[in-house]
Amino acid sequence: MDSFTRLLDTHGMLPHGFCLLWQPGLLALHVISDLVIAAAYFSIPLAILAFVRRRTDLIAEHRRIAILFVLFILGCGLTHVMGIVVLWRPAYWTDGVIKGLTAAVSLITAIALWPVVPRLLAVPSPEQLANVNASLMAEVAARRTALEELGAVRANLEAEIQHRTAEVQALARRFQIATEGSVVTLFEQDEALRFTWLHNPRPPFTRAVLGRTGDECLSAEAQAVLRPLKEQVLASGEPLQAEVALPMDDHTGHFEIRVTPAAAADGSTGLLVAAVDISEQKRQQDHLQVILRELAHRSRNLLSMVDGIARQTAKAEGVPKEFSQRFGARLTALGQAYDLLISHDWRGVDLDTLARSQLAHLAPEAGDRLRIEGPSLDVGPETGQYLALAIHELATNAAKYGALSELGGQITLSWRRLEGPDGAPRIEVTWDETLDRPMSEAPAGRRRGFGRLLLEQLTPRAVKGQASLVFEPQAVRWHVGFPA
């Protein structure tokens, strides 16, 4: 009772009209606005209740939401009625309680409304139902049209399949004719490495391998070579190419094997293998190696004979011994170049290998005073011969008169690949020799002898390039550039 009395107690409070200074116009504005809003708020719940009563198909959840909205809107209407009351009577406690109740109902309504919104949105309206029905009718018509078009497409597709099948069969016949009797054997294996298809069989891959694994139809030695390659392709999914030697009945066969992952008919991963018999090619290569070794042997014999004739002639004619020594050393350098070229089947030689072969006799004594540096570059046979003679000539002069003599110094032999003025690739080779003190005796290279002729004219002419030879009191520099 005391609490209720306290709610009605207005002692010490002023009505809201004092805040508005009892201005008639302002009071009328507030009263009329609150009356109109309250009237609207009281009529809306009546409409909601009427709607709920007439819609008997509404579920309980929807009815609860409607009741909450009725209470919420009624509470809002009461707050506007109290807005009129407090203008003349300071019943602020009553006004606050009504607002608190309205706030509670508002919160409950908001919490209950959000979970229902998706389900309310899912309820189709009559217009939506009409639109859906029209869409279904249009879809039925479209499906009927699509079925007619699909029938036409099917007929065209069958004709295209027949045409493509004929093309594939023709291609298979051409493939059969092109590879029949060749040295290429093709076969497929499934994931268990069982042979499922074989074309143009050649030993050791005969018709007997079909339907069997390699372990069942090939020798253990052949399997030891082939199985790791196939397992690697199955594991990595990447194709692999290798040259293998397989033992045959009376000889060893050499094959170029290319193993490619391929999908089997059942969708599993299999292998497609192409085996090219290169046994005859290997035999020809071995025969060529024998010929090249014989050529190298005879070339060395010929160079030895020339060296012997030159020594005997020089001795008989009274030519200085130094000539015989230099001539023999040049023949030795040429012989070393020949050996390198023959070991590479006369296709060319790596510059680093060539340089180190010509400077090998100086390397132990020179130590870190001799530097050889440059990328891996191959030069042709003729270029290799002349570069070998040029490097030998420079090394001989360095040992007698230059950086590797008692004068001391440093030698750097380097090369690089770069783009020439015309955009074509070039190779530049540089011999850079520096001495600790000036040379007391002019090197042989300063004379117009064979050494200088070789460095300035013969070598650049042979390599189709340009060369320069510079002598300074404490340096010797030779540079040659030529097309790569």
Side-chain angles (χ1 to χ4, degrees), residues 14-27:
L14 296 175
H16 193 216
F18 279 100
C19 297
L20 304 180
L21 302 179
W22 301 108
Q23 294 183 16
L26 189 56
L27 289 173

Side-chain angles (χ1 to χ4, degrees), residues 12-46:
M13 298 182 182
L14 296 175
H16 193 216
F18 279 100
C19 297
L20 304 180
L21 302 179
W22 301 108
Q23 294 183 16
L26 189 56
L27 289 173
L29 176 62
H30 278 270
V31 170
I32 294 171
S33 299
D34 283 332
L35 281 175
V36 172
I37 295 173
Y41 275 161
F42 291 146
S43 66
I44 291 174
L46 295 176

Side-chain angles (χ1 to χ4, degrees), residues 150-410:
L150 185 60
V153 171
R154 180 179 179 181
N156 293 334
L157 184 59
E158 289 177 350
E160 182 68 17
I161 290 175
Q162 292 177 355
H163 176 66
R164 295 294 183 186
T165 302
E167 286 186 346
V168 170
Q169 290 174 347
L171 182 61
R173 285 195 299 272
R174 296 190 191 103
F175 174 75
Q176 183 79 19
I177 294 171
T179 57
E180 194 69 37
S182 69
V183 296
V184 181
T185 298
L186 301 173
F187 58 87
E188 280 186 348
Q189 291 181 275
D190 59 19
E191 201 167 8
L193 298 182
R194 182 178 293 101
F195 288 87
T196 58
W197 175 75
L198 178 68
H199 174 72
N200 196 30
R202 293 174 61 89
F205 308 107
T206 62
R207 292 287 180 190
V209 303
L210 287 175
R212 305 163 67 187
T213 65
D215 294 333
E216 296 170 346
C217 57
L218 298 178
S219 66
E221 293 82 0
Q223 274 295 91
V225 176
L226 295 175
R227 190 177 184 88
L229 300 178
K230 298 173 183 177
E231 290 177 344
Q232 179 179 343
V233 173
L234 285 175
S236 65
E238 298 292 332
L240 179 66
Q241 186 167 341
E243 184 179 315
V244 298
L246 303 180
M248 313 285 278
D249 292 337
D250 55 351
H251 67 285
T252 298
H254 295 269
F255 296 86
E256 186 80 29
I257 299 287
R258 180 171 179 82
V259 187
T260 305
D266 59 357
S268 61
T269 302
L271 298 175
L272 178 61
V273 183
V276 183
D277 190 345
I278 58 172
S279 301
E280 180 62 24
Q281 179 182 342
K282 293 293 292 185
R283 190 188 67 79
Q284 293 291 344
Q285 288 179 353
D286 293 341
H287 181 61
L288 179 61
Q289 286 293 330
V290 172
I291 294 176
L292 288 175
R293 285 195 294 270
E294 180 64 21
L295 175 62
H297 176 69
R298 296 193 179 190
S299 297
R300 284 193 293 270
N301 288 344
L302 182 60
L303 291 175
S304 298
M305 184 183 298
V306 171
D307 184 31
I309 292 173
R311 290 178 182 276
Q312 293 299 324
T313 303
K315 183 178 181 180
E317 297 295 331
V319 177
K321 185 178 180 180
E322 182 182 357
F323 166 79
S324 300
Q325 292 175 346
R326 290 184 66 90
F327 184 75
R330 287 165 178 162
L331 287 179
T332 301
L334 188 60
Q336 291 174 343
Y338 277 0
D339 289 341
L340 285 176
L341 290 169
I342 290 172
S343 66
H344 291 78
D345 297 334
W346 210 260
R347 292 190 298 266
V349 64
D350 179 64
L351 263 178
D352 186 75
T353 305
L354 179 71
R356 294 184 186 280
S357 69
Q358 294 298 324
L359 300 175
H361 64 292
L362 299 177
E365 182 178 347
D368 57 2
R369 290 189 296 157
L370 175 61
R371 294 171 52 195
I372 303 173
E373 54 190 27
S376 178
L377 292 175
D378 288 341
V379 294
E382 185 174 3
T383 300
Q385 296 176 58
Y386 278 90
L387 286 178
L389 288 174
I391 292 172
H392 168 78
E393 195 68 29
L394 290 165
T396 301
N397 284 339
K400 294 180 64 176
Y401 309 107
L404 301 182
S405 66
E406 68 276 1
L407 297 178
Q410 179 79 34

